[in-house]
Structure formats: C-alpha cells, structure tokens
Amino acid sequence: MSPLIEITDPAVFDPETIIVDVRAGADARQRYLAGHLQQAIFATLDDDLASKPADPAFGGRHPLPSLENFAATLSKWGVTPDSHVIVYDDKAAAMGGARLWWMLRAIGHKKVQVLNGGLKAAINAGIELSKDDHQPKSTAAYPVPAEYSGTADIDEVGEAAKSDDRIVIDVRENARYLGQVEPLDLIAGHIPGASNLFYAKNLGEDGKYLSPEELAVLYRDTIGDIKPEQVIVHCGSGVTACHTLLGMASAGITEPKLYVGSWSEWSRRDLPIATTDK
C-alpha cells in the first residue's frame, strides 16, 4: 500500500475507511468545525499524538504517548488492526498527518495512508466539506503494541552524527539549523555533524509531495551511499521529521529512524551545539 493517497481515490469516500483529521494549535477545533472531510474524526497533535512532557530535556516537546494511551485512542476512534485509516491535516501533512501515519506504522498497523496535499487538495478538487462534529463509534480494544519501532534515542543520535557510515538529517529550515533564529526552543543551532534538508523540499508548488522518483533524487543527494537503516531524521520536536519519513517511504526508503526528542531535547541537555554548515 502506498503511503500517500490522492483525493480522487474512492477509498477516501468509502464508509468503511476511517478518516482522521489532525490539527494543531489553540484554534484547532474551530478550524476543524469550519470545514473537514465527511466522516473525518477530529484529532489534535498535543492531545492525541503526544504526551505532556514533564521535562522537555528528557523526551522533547512532543514525546510519544504511552502505548496503552495510544491503543485506547485508536479504540475510541473505532480503529481495529484491520482498519484502513486515512489521515490528513491542514498543513500538507507537516503538523500531524505524517506524525499519525508514522505512529501507526511504528506499532505495526499496515493499512494507513496520508492524503496527498491534505485539506487543501480536497478544497482544490471542489470536495464539499462538512461542518459537523463527527463522533466516531468506539470498537473493541486495540491490542496494546509492544513498542514504537524505528526510533533512535539521544545517545544513538550523538554517535551516529559522528560516524561516516551513518547520517543524522535535520529537517528544520536552514536558518534554524544555522542558529540564526530559534522561535520555539531555548538555544539555537544544530547537532554537530547533522546534515540539513528542509522538509518543505519534499513538496511541489501544488503543495503535494514530489513524485517518488523526484524524492529519491532529493534524498540520494543527502544520504549518498549510506544504508537506509543507518539514517536518523529529526526536527524540532519529532513532528515535521515524520513528513520527511513519509516522503522517504514514498521513495522506497523504508528503514530510517525517528529521533523523537529532536532538537527540543538535545538543546536542553548541555550537549555540543553547532551553528555552521556540516
């Protein structure tokens, strides 16, 4: 199953498909109620796809929810291990859609896709949006998974960034990577040895992902001959990194890891910080 799905695909409108609309920000519900796909379940990044950090220095600003809590959320949404889940957001998958895709894949859920282009693609296609507050029907308990697979912790990241056989990719915009600005975290800069590939480069002018072939060229320019399983991707807090992991999966690169804590963790641990290009 392709990780991306187009708004023209009949599965988007199949009543058996579970659609999840992921929003972020204080006005998330208002934006959802202003217009969303028919039968789309409202979800938020902070409440459903992350836990509240006791200390961002240990886990970052958006640590993953416990496996028990995530399984309970899926049950509340009516998701079973066999469900076809389609997710989207209103930020071209950068603020939640790709994160939920990654989380489902990380617990072994097979049938999950992201709407290419997000809500904008539906609007551009002339799809009539709903303003109802759709309430899902809960189902039997989703089995609590054993782990989120495909993650790297802070120690592994530090070692990988110093290795010639591994690569750490920072997907934040270049000005943040170089430490010229830092709107969210306490200290500006990047992990020494990390490469920079801004996640927005995954997209074309239409707000959709580049073709798999174009994405493969984009990533090859950064990764080179390094094996996919030796690639670690991070961002500010483990959210937009999933956008690039989704793009990599579309290009057939399926084994990279996510550093969930990302810069929000690293920058709070009194570790080395760089402000010049690798």
Side-chain angles (χ1 to χ4, degrees):
M1 177 174 285
S2 170
L4 293 168
I5 189 169
E6 300 296 329
I7 189 64
T8 52
D9 194 303
V12 177
F13 306 99
D14 186 334
E16 297 299 316
T17 301
I18 294 179
I19 310 289
V20 185
D21 178 312
V22 184
R23 306 284 177 132
D27 63 343
R29 181 168 286 279
Q30 290 93 324
R31 299 201 320 273
Y32 166 81
L33 292 174
H36 55 82
L37 291 184
Q38 299 285 340
Q39 307 300 309
I41 298 165
F42 172 70
T44 70
L45 172 63
D46 289 323
D47 294 337
D48 299 307
L49 309 185
S51 59
K52 301 294 187 289
D55 182 352
F58 297 90
R61 287 183 281 107
H62 288 113
L64 294 168
S66 72
L67 291 158
E68 292 79 8
N69 285 349
F70 187 42
T73 296
L74 295 177
S75 301
K76 179 183 69 175
W77 291 343
V79 177
T80 72
D82 295 323
S83 295
H84 183 185
V85 181
I86 295 176
V87 302
Y88 72 92
D89 60 32
D90 57 354
K91 303 293 183 182
M95 286 304 295
R99 167 82 165 213
L100 178 52
W101 167 85
W102 180 89
M103 289 171 62
L104 283 164
R105 294 291 297 172
I107 65 168
H109 195 96
K110 303 297 184 186
K111 297 173 68 175
V112 55
Q113 296 176 289
V114 174
L115 179 62
N116 197 7
L119 185 65
K120 181 182 176 183
I123 294 171
N124 290 347
I127 302 299
E128 182 179 357
L129 301 182
S130 170
K131 296 184 178 181
D132 294 339
D133 190 358
H134 178 66
Q135 298 300 311
K137 295 180 180 179
S138 60
T139 188
Y142 195 101
V144 177
E147 63 175 348
Y148 290 107
S149 65
T151 64
D153 64 20
I154 194 169
D155 294 327
E156 182 178 358
V157 170
E159 290 301 315
K162 294 183 289 186
S163 172
D164 292 335
D165 299 322
R166 307 187 71 182
I167 187 170
V168 176
I169 299 175
D170 182 332
V171 308
R172 296 174 302 159
E173 61 184 300
N174 191 248
R176 290 183 70 189
Y177 170 81
L178 293 176
Q180 296 168 352
V181 297
E182 183 44 65
L184 298 171
D185 290 307
L186 304 179
I187 301 174
H190 64 267
I191 298 170
S195 298
N196 183 226
L197 181 60
F198 186 30
Y199 78 89
K201 292 184 178 180
N202 298 325
L203 304 175
E205 293 182 0
D206 59 358
K208 293 185 176 184
Y209 274 86
L210 300 173
S211 71
E213 295 76 18
E214 291 171 314
L215 289 169
V217 171
L218 174 69
Y219 303 136
R220 191 182 308 120
D221 287 345
T222 297
I223 297 171
D225 295 329
I226 294 174
K227 296 179 180 179
E229 61 268 25
Q230 301 299 335
V231 176
I232 300 173
V233 183
H234 83 90
C235 54
S237 65
V239 178
T240 53
C242 297
H243 193 274
T244 290
L245 290 169
L246 174 60
M248 288 181 171
S250 180
I253 305 170
T254 59
E255 299 298 327
K257 294 181 178 180
L258 170 66
Y259 172 31
V260 179
S262 287
W263 183 247
S264 60
E265 179 180 60
W266 183 279
S267 62
R268 288 170 166 83
R269 293 285 284 273
D270 196 27
L271 293 167
I273 289 172
T275 54
T276 57
D277 265 321
K278 179 182 176 183

